Amino acid sequence: MLELKPMIHKFRMKDTYYCLDVNSGIIHVIDELIDRVLDIYDGTNRDAVHAVLDSSEDVVELNEIMDELDELIAAEQLFAPMSQEFKLVVGEKPVVKALCLNIAHDCNLACKYCFASQGDYGGVKRELMSFDVAKRAVDFLIEMSGPRQHCEIDFFGGEPLLNWDVVKQTVEYIESIQTQHNKIFKLTLTTNGMLLTQDKIDYVNEHKMSLVLSLDGREDVHNAMRPVAGSGTESYKFIAKNLINAVKQRHGLEYYVRGTYTHKNLDFTKDVMAMSDLGFEHLSMEPVVGEEGDYVLREEDWPMLEKEYEALADIYLQRQIDGWGEKFNFFHFRMDLYRGPCMAKRLRGCG
Ligand code: SF4
């Protein structure tokens, strides 16, 4: 059984220090000295704190800080134990609630940073999932989700629209059996937009599927990283046109436009704004994953990235004050400030 130890995440926004207690979800506003004490202190090791900090800090103040931390620990507001809610999720019998189906092991773009080696995941063969495999995946999810009613499937790739017939067959299979199994499926399609034609837009809207649409913000940033497979030509104009067409027909159905930032666009707030300027309201920009190449993020990028998130947070807050509301919605800044990050995010140490 997965054991969730008491855990904290500390971070700084401008001049304010914060400490998130993972299991309770409580966010503490702390100061710089408490931040340093919490680098060491776990509620049991005062001597270790004194050994490191006595030479530079006031000993009485250190003891007062640790007294206050002990009070929070006793009240289960710091280093809180795993809650009953968490135990249900990570209990003895694992419950699978979501599957990401690699429905197309192939892609029509050749993004330089591709996590999937341009769609084939580094394998020898580019393939499309058969309906039989997709059907068995759905049956597996129904079985493994146990009593949980809400299940999720993300049609993913590579590029899932390369296997559109199987996507449709699978959607229709799910719709035909979910009621008899007392399940409610949330279906998501993650696409690069190259094949997002009107018939597909009509279908995903009719079947109330969520959409995750990939675009990297500014035209030059996108084109530098996301060329068309084979020809190597620029893809931005074609994709942006398709995404704008799809999004204007969503009428409240869930979507977000997701970009990737790299070492080459550490000023990614400009990319978020470029996507907002195109009329996209639900946005996300994620850090690139990778270890090689001139685009990978480096240790020395951290200070600039911290500043960039602060700048984006300022814009986000100002837009909320100015009444933009849901019209400017950055995925990672969606959080319930009274209850903290959702359980799934706390479990994964994310958000
Ligand atoms: S669209 Fe996605 S799967 Fe295709 S090459 Fe780009 S990152 Fe890889």
Side-chain angles (χ1 to χ4, degrees):
M1 177 178 159
L2 173 64
E3 190 191 351
L4 262 194
K5 294 203 171 109
M7 191 195 297
I8 58 171
H9 294 301
K10 298 193 288 97
F11 56 99
R12 198 179 82 177
M13 169 75 181
K14 297 188 176 169
D15 295 326
T16 308
Y17 292 80
Y18 298 90
C19 170
L20 164 68
D21 183 64
V22 173
N23 287 345
S24 69
I26 292 171
I27 299 167
H28 302 279
V29 179
I30 58 178
D31 64 22
E32 190 263 344
L33 180 55
I34 299 174
D35 180 79
R36 281 195 285 139
V37 170
L38 281 172
D39 281 339
I40 307 164
Y41 193 51
D42 64 5
T44 63
N45 56 346
R46 283 186 180 232
D47 289 350
V49 175
H50 287 300
V52 175
L53 296 177
D54 276 7
S55 56
S56 58
E57 305 299 334
D58 182 90
V59 175
V60 176
E61 192 181 357
L62 287 175
N63 279 326
E64 283 172 359
I65 287 172
M66 287 187 277
D67 288 344
E68 285 178 24
L69 295 178
D70 285 346
E71 283 174 27
L72 292 174
I73 293 168
E76 298 192 349
Q77 294 174 358
L78 186 70
F79 299 123
M82 192 198 313
S83 70
Q84 194 56 33
E85 185 189 26
F86 273 40
K87 282 181 186 155
L88 284 175
V89 172
V90 298
E92 301 282 351
K93 188 166 187 293
V95 169
V96 181
K97 69 158 199 166
L99 283 186
C100 191
L101 285 191
N102 183 18
I103 204 100
H105 202 70
D106 196 359
C107 194
N108 45 12
L109 289 186
C111 306
K112 293 180 184 160
Y113 49 54
C114 180
F115 58 92
S117 304
Q118 284 77 46
D120 68 3
Y121 289 83
V124 285
K125 221 163 130 200
R126 293 178 178 266
E127 283 186 280
L128 302 179
M129 184 181 283
S130 67
F131 173 60
D132 180 54
V133 171
K135 179 173 172 291
R136 281 190 281 140
V138 173
D139 294 341
F140 168 83
L141 179 54
I142 287 172
E143 186 189 335
M144 294 303 288
S145 56
R148 189 188 163 91
Q149 190 178 29
H150 290 270
C151 297
E152 295 172 24
I153 285 198
D154 187 357
F155 295 96
F156 201 76
E159 170 48 46
L161 294 186
L162 289 173
N163 200 9
W164 179 235
D165 284 344
V166 172
V167 171
K168 284 197 295 185
Q169 274 180 293
T170 311
V171 168
E172 283 149 35
Y173 176 63
I174 290 167
E175 288 173 346
S176 72
I177 61 162
Q178 61 180 348
T179 308
Q180 78 195 64
H181 291 286
N182 192 29
K183 302 288 178 193
I184 300 169
F185 272 78
K186 178 184 178 196
L187 304 178
T188 300
L189 178 79
T190 297
T191 175
N192 63 27
M194 287 285 284
L195 298 173
L196 201 52
T197 48
Q198 189 58 47
D199 60 314
K200 297 184 183 84
I201 294 168
D202 290 341
Y203 187 91
V204 296
N205 291 348
E206 195 181 311
H207 292 265
K208 306 214 175 337
M209 297 172 73
S210 297
L211 279 179
V212 178
L213 306 161
S214 304
L215 191 77
D216 277 359
R218 288 166 289 181
E219 182 168 353
D220 57 329
V221 170
H222 177 104
N223 282 335
M225 297 306 286
R226 297 177 73 84
V228 175
S231 67
T233 51
E234 296 179 344
S235 65
Y236 175 87
K237 281 201 167 66
F238 184 71
I239 288 173
K241 184 163 76 57
N242 284 352
L243 301 196
I244 290 167
N245 183 40
V247 164
K248 72 177 184 221
Q249 299 177 62
R250 291 300 277 169
H251 304 304
L253 290 171
E254 193 176 281
Y255 77 90
Y256 74 94
V257 181
R258 177 203 183 283
T260 298
Y261 68 80
T262 72
H263 175 72
K264 298 186 168 189
N265 60 320
L266 298 175
D267 58 347
F268 63 84
T269 295
K270 293 196 176 89
D271 297 293
V272 175
M273 302 315 289
M275 295 196 284
S276 175
D277 290 344
L278 290 179
F280 302 133
E281 297 173 351
H282 307 286
L283 303 161
S284 160
M285 203 83 197
E286 319 261 352
V288 71
V289 176
E291 287 167 10
E292 284 174 15
D294 56 359
Y295 58 81
V296 300
L297 297 171
R298 299 138 204 207
E299 198 73 30
E300 63 264 27
D301 294 337
W302 273 111
M304 177 143 181
L305 288 176
E306 287 180 359
K307 289 263 168 297
E308 202 59 23
Y309 276 110
E310 288 179 1
L312 182 55
D314 281 340
I315 293 169
Y316 187 84
L317 288 172
Q318 190 57 50
R319 288 202 162 183
Q320 297 307 310
I321 291 164
D322 293 344
W324 280 63
E326 284 293 301
K327 290 191 181 307
F328 185 70
N329 184 0
F330 188 69
F331 189 75
H332 295 287
F333 292 165
R334 281 184 72 106
M335 195 172 85
D336 183 337
L337 290 176
Y338 295 96
R339 288 184 298 182
C342 71
M343 183 166 40
K345 285 186 174 177
R346 277 188 265 154
L347 277 169
R348 292 196 299 261
C350 152

